[in-house]
Amino acid sequence: MVDNRYATALVIACVLSILATVYLSVAIGTKHWYQYSSPTVHGEANVSDLRSLYEEFMDGEFDEKTYSDTLFRLNGTVGLWWRCVIVPAHWNKEQDAKMMLECRSFSLPQQFTPKYKEPGNHNSGEDMLRTYLWRCQFLLPLVSLGLVVLAGLTGFCACLCRSLTPILGIGVLHLLAGLCTLATVCCYLAGMDLLHRVSMLPDKVDGSLGWSLYLALISSPLHMMAAALLLWAARSHSQNYYRMTAYRVA
């Protein structure tokens, strides 16, 4: 028999866990972790230059400097698996009023591509810090989701067995998932800061955090709150169980 307090805590923890997982999944799959605001371009020469950048961005080889410069100058947005630019539907001498979002995904080999101390210059030496921050920022959220899935499977088995014993382990898994998500956001912010130190933003170009990053940031405390409820329920149930056992023995 489960005490009403424990049942309530478990239900709330499940709701928090589901919300956190949905938020994190949406954040991983969307493109708005960081976004740039670029000035409007005027003049045939400037439009031609931007069109060349856009074509290289869409069809050229993967190069950090190339796609970074394009993001800076074409109101780009970048996520964990996507990089996008906003371009006119038709390239004319003047910017067309109708704009569209064009995106390219980061392939798995591209995610493991080394970062260099001078982006685009392979002779400058690998920047180990930026390289591993980049790899952590896309691996850690997958680890977080994996931990939550494992916790869900463990909870399902616990329900079938009508046992609260695994609740402690499920709480620990949620705590680790929350820490992984928080580490993802920290790695992403640190990586972007280091990128902007080696690739200076052009004049009148501003960068800002996107809503996808905030979703990931919100999911971290939700997982931790779910973990706290689960750990409390496990500890309290264990204490009551031992008290009842001691009472019966006495």
Side-chain angles (χ1 to χ4, degrees), residues 5 21 28 48 81 86 120 137 142 225 243 247-248:
R5 293 175 301 166
T21 304
I28 292 173
S48 177
W81 289 90
I86 298 177
Q137 77 184 24
L142 301 181
M225 286 189 287
R243 287 173 185 171
Y247 175 79
R248 289 173 182 174

Side-chain angles (χ1 to χ4, degrees), residues 13 143-144 146-148 150-152 154 165-180 220 223-235:
V143 172
S144 180
L147 291 170
V148 174
L150 179 59
T154 305
T165 304
I167 297 299
L168 178 61
I170 296 173
V172 172
L173 289 174
H174 276 82
L175 179 60
L176 293 175
L179 291 175
C180 285
S220 176
H223 273 138
M224 293 182 182
M225 286 189 287
L229 288 171
L230 291 167
L231 293 175
W232 172 83
R235 183 173 181 275

Side-chain angles (χ1 to χ4, degrees), residues 1 12 17 22 64 71 103-104 118 146 150 153 172 216-217 219 232 245:
M1 190 71 178
I12 295 174
S17 177
V22 170
E64 184 184 24
L71 292 173
C103 298
R104 289 288 308 273
E118 296 178 11
L150 179 59
L153 292 175
V172 172
L217 192 59
S219 73
W232 172 83
T245 301

Side-chain angles (χ1 to χ4, degrees), residues 240-250:
N240 286 346
Y241 175 79
Y242 287 122
R243 287 173 185 171
M244 290 298 295
T245 301
Y247 175 79
R248 289 173 182 174
V249 171

Side-chain angles (χ1 to χ4, degrees), residues 122-182:
H122 294 193
N123 296 322
S124 62
E126 183 178 352
D127 190 330
M128 299 295 292
L129 180 56
R130 290 204 308 121
T131 297
Y132 283 99
L133 283 174
W134 182 275
R135 293 174 183 177
C136 287
Q137 77 184 24
F138 87 89
L139 286 174
L140 285 175
L142 301 181
V143 172
S144 180
L145 289 179
L147 291 170
V148 174
V149 170
L150 179 59
L153 292 175
T154 305
F156 180 73
C157 294
C159 290
L160 293 179
C161 298
R162 297 183 179 181
S163 172
L164 287 180
T165 304
I167 297 299
L168 178 61
I170 296 173
V172 172
L173 289 174
H174 276 82
L175 179 60
L176 293 175
L179 291 175
C180 285
T181 304
L182 182 61

Side-chain angles (χ1 to χ4, degrees), residues 30-37 71-72 75-80 82-84 188-189 191-193 195-196 201 205-214:
T30 50
K31 317 164 183 67
H32 300 278
W33 281 65
Y34 202 89
Q35 53 198 20
Y36 298 98
S37 177
L71 292 173
F72 295 160
N75 295 290
T77 62
V78 60
L80 298 183
W82 295 93
R83 58 191 189 275
C84 306
Y188 190 88
L189 293 175
M192 294 304 294
D193 180 65
L195 172 63
H196 293 155
L201 292 177
V205 174
D206 297 319
S208 60
L209 304 180
W211 58 266
S212 299
L213 184 141
Y214 288 113

